[in-house]
Amino acid sequence: MTLHLFARILLLCAAVSKITTDAFISPASILSRSKLHLSSDFTLYSKTPTPSYPTQRGTSTDSRQIVSQTSTSAYRLRHILLASESAAEEVMTLLKNGKLLFTEVARTFSACEITRSKDGEVGWFDFSGHDVSDHPLDPILPLSIRSELAVSTSMKPGDIEMFTSDRGVHLIQLVDVMVDVSAKTKTRQRSDANTWSTAVDPSNPKKQLYYTLETMGCQMNIADSERMSGQLQNLNILPLPPTSPSSSADVVVLNTCSIRDHAEQKVYSYIGPHAKRKRSGESVSIIVAGCVAEQEGEQLLRRCPEVDLVLGPQYANRLGDLLEDVNNGNQVVATEPEFIIEDITKPKRDNKVCAWVNIIYGCNERCAFCIVPSTRGVEQSRTAESILEECKGLVQEGYKEVTLLGQNIDAYGRDLSPKRKFSDLLSMIGSIPGLERVRFVTSHPRYMSDGVVDAVADCKSVCNSFHIPFQSGSDKVLREMGRGHTRRKYLNIIEKIRRKIPEAGITADVIVGFPGETEGEFEDTLKLMEEVKFDNVNTAAYSPRPNTPAADWTNQVDDDVKNERLQRINKLNLQHAKERRARMVGRFEKVLVESRNVKNPKQVFGRTGGGYVVYFEGEIGELEGKIVDVKITASSTYSLTGELC
């Protein structure tokens, strides 16, 4: 989409719709729109919509059953041709063991002369016209197989299935899908678009456009924001200069988090000033992305009709496509379940040394307190080939460290057919030449295996750092949370790590004041922390979240009790964090230099393999991206200070 085309988006988004009866905007929202920047009208739409993804235990977590494929128009495929079914089964066994990639097997074993030299790459198979004579794919995939693929709903990206034809047995890997994103969205035509064109000067369509992007929440959101930045900059929309006020941005993107209470109110508070700009006639596009967008959906437009686009996390890399619908004068909501597709454009990363790499999206656990399954959906793993290709590309660009991301990273590959193991993927990534460091978050005690601990111990480039939430030290509370592990199982994992990797850094998450938690059960949590002595724990008082079972329970803990427990656990966490860092004084540590210390320009900072932040004097131009030896001379609660050796 050209800059001229996108400029028209801003013309069409300059004012508020005056329609009072339609699927998106109700009379109540129109009457209250002059107070949109306030929270007083929150009760008008306090009921959270039913989530797009199933969230009850016992319902399907299989994306093949949840995602509608009616808008899928093409598959990207890889292919291995074998002489017999027995040979195909042997190859499938190799793939199931996780030691070889599909591309490696295709290059070694495939009898297809056309695709073997291309690692089995077939390319895009368009469903339309699949049955025509003289089809371009005839030499690779006969009509019988193309016909099966065109109507198949049993495959998702990453799956490998076996097909038979008169040429032999075909193993086909579905690498990626092409989706008509407009068919997955809900749109409402703004009827008075023509009156908004006066908001900007149409005689100057080549005006440079700027965006501002605010990110709330976790590392997954940070990675999604980088992908959306890549989409915007691909449209020649540039980041707003740091010296310019946010009120001068042409495009405003808010990437939201819903993990904590009051998340919705924070979103409306942030939108308020920009909605006011639009009501006053300024040309500004307002985009709400992330978990609150997925949670609230159309309700965001009812509450704040100035918003132009609402998109859930699964559409982060389709922002450019969705803006085309906005350009056509529509308000757009993209929150329907969808297969994760590979990035069309490169993310614009905020760091020159360290990069985020998503390996699995969503979560199937459905803990009683957690909103993630309803906002990020069910688990969907990327192919190992795509992940490795991205990591190798980052090395070529000069990156030294990658952090592998997943809401439940140890579940990587269990949704694929055949299944794969995270430990195997970790070993493969740890073997990439030139990649100095590999980190990963977040681990789940229910799925964390000895193989992961072994991979960290055996791979030189994989950092000895683990983030493993325990959430409570009480078996009763863990059972009611639906965590799927016990206190003893968690401590066994910690013992295995410290036995194999004595200097490993271990961090965690914990919730206090979960419904029904007694003083004794809270003290069990404190005792667990005393046993482990974490490097840091992210602490939070329980807050009821929409579409979660625990939110409706009647045994809620009083806020005063929750806050008192939070203060006590924070005090213990600070004590342990300080102790853990104090033991580092006098040691020599290898530190990957990431950036300048903005509070002290004479210093740079980086992290140890165990995850400790270290500040020391040095010139960033000389040290950035290098692993250097640093003598630790002092410690504080959350950081270390040292001298360059």
Side-chain angles (χ1 to χ4, degrees), residues 135-397:
H135 192 282
L137 292 182
D138 270 340
I140 304 171
L141 301 176
L143 174 60
S144 60
I145 293 180
R146 298 200 306 273
S147 298
E148 285 188 67
L149 287 169
V151 298
S152 173
T153 58
S154 63
M155 295 182 74
K156 62 178 286 296
D159 285 353
I160 302 168
E161 284 198 6
M162 188 184 301
F163 297 82
T164 303
S165 76
D166 55 4
R167 299 176 195 174
V169 181
H170 306 252
L171 296 183
I172 296 178
Q173 182 185 44
L174 174 52
V175 181
D176 203 356
V177 294
M178 187 177 294
V179 176
D180 177 7
V181 72
S182 64
K184 304 288 290 190
T185 60
K186 299 174 183 177
T187 61
R188 186 192 70 83
Q189 181 75 34
R190 291 192 186 270
S191 67
D192 52 357
N194 291 336
T195 66
W196 306 341
S197 61
T198 58
V200 294
D201 182 3
S203 66
N204 186 25
K206 294 186 178 180
K207 171 195 170 187
Q208 178 62 61
L209 304 177
Y210 294 95
Y211 73 89
T212 180
L213 198 163
E214 180 78 14
T215 304
M216 302 174 174
C218 66
Q219 299 100 325
M220 298 287 284
N221 263 21
I222 296 172
D224 286 346
S225 289
E226 292 180 345
R227 298 160 82 201
M228 287 189 286
S229 288
Q231 291 269 300
L232 291 168
Q233 292 184 43
N234 191 54
L235 299 173
N236 197 32
I237 305 167
L238 302 181
L240 190 70
T243 55
S244 300
S246 62
S247 59
S248 64
D250 303 289
V251 181
V252 175
V253 185
L254 178 61
N255 194 9
T256 60
C257 173
S258 58
I259 203 74
R260 297 282 181 260
D261 196 12
H262 307 302
E264 301 82 8
Q265 293 94 318
K266 290 177 182 177
V267 170
Y268 292 120
S269 177
Y270 181 89
I271 291 172
H274 300 290
K276 184 177 179 181
R277 290 173 57 198
K278 181 173 282 192
R279 291 196 301 273
S280 67
E282 286 190 53
S283 180
V284 55
S285 291
I286 302 175
I287 300 166
V288 181
C291 291
V292 173
E294 181 69 32
Q295 171 190 309
E296 298 294 300
E298 297 172 41
Q299 186 161 288
L300 269 166
L301 299 186
R302 296 190 184 103
R303 174 94 189 272
C304 186
E306 290 88 351
V307 171
D308 301 293
L309 174 58
V310 177
L311 69 152
Q314 66 272 30
Y315 291 93
N317 62 352
R318 301 303 297 271
L319 177 57
D321 293 335
L322 294 167
L323 285 174
E324 291 188 14
D325 268 347
V326 175
N327 170 70
N328 292 327
N330 296 313
Q331 288 176 293
V332 180
V333 176
T335 55
E336 289 301 305
E338 185 51 87
F339 288 136
I340 298 299
I341 66 172
E342 290 300 313
D343 290 339
I344 300 169
T345 58
K346 285 187 177 181
K348 293 297 180 183
R349 304 184 190 273
D350 294 331
N351 192 302
K352 298 178 182 178
V353 178
C354 309
W356 310 105
V357 175
N358 294 92
I359 71 165
I360 181 172
Y361 298 84
C363 182
N364 290 353
E365 289 312 293
R366 298 171 178 177
C367 298
F369 57 83
C370 187
I371 197 172
V372 167
S374 66
T375 58
R376 286 195 168 268
V378 295
E379 291 166 0
Q380 295 191 60
S381 301
R382 295 175 65 196
T383 67
E385 290 87 351
S386 296
I387 296 165
L388 288 164
E389 182 181 356
E390 181 176 356
C391 291
K392 290 175 182 177
L394 288 167
V395 171
Q396 291 176 355
E397 292 176 31

Side-chain angles (χ1 to χ4, degrees), residues 589-641:
E589 290 290 320
K590 292 191 177 298
V591 176
L592 174 60
V593 180
E594 297 180 24
S595 186
R596 188 188 305 277
N597 181 2
V598 294
K599 295 183 179 180
N600 183 351
K602 293 183 179 180
Q603 289 185 332
V604 297
F605 78 88
R607 283 177 295 168
T608 66
Y612 295 141
V613 174
V614 183
Y615 296 95
F616 58 96
E617 289 192 4
E619 176 53 52
I620 189 62
E622 297 177 2
L623 299 176
E624 185 177 52
K626 293 183 178 179
I627 294 179
V628 296
D629 292 315
V630 177
K631 181 181 180 181
I632 307 303
T633 58
S635 68
S636 63
T637 305
Y638 290 121
S639 65
L640 303 170
T641 304

Side-chain angles (χ1 to χ4, degrees), residues 55-56 367-372 374 542-552:
T55 58
Q56 296 300 313
C367 298
F369 57 83
C370 187
I371 197 172
V372 167
S374 66
Y542 170 77
S543 59
R545 304 307 300 129
N547 299 312
T548 60
D552 297 326

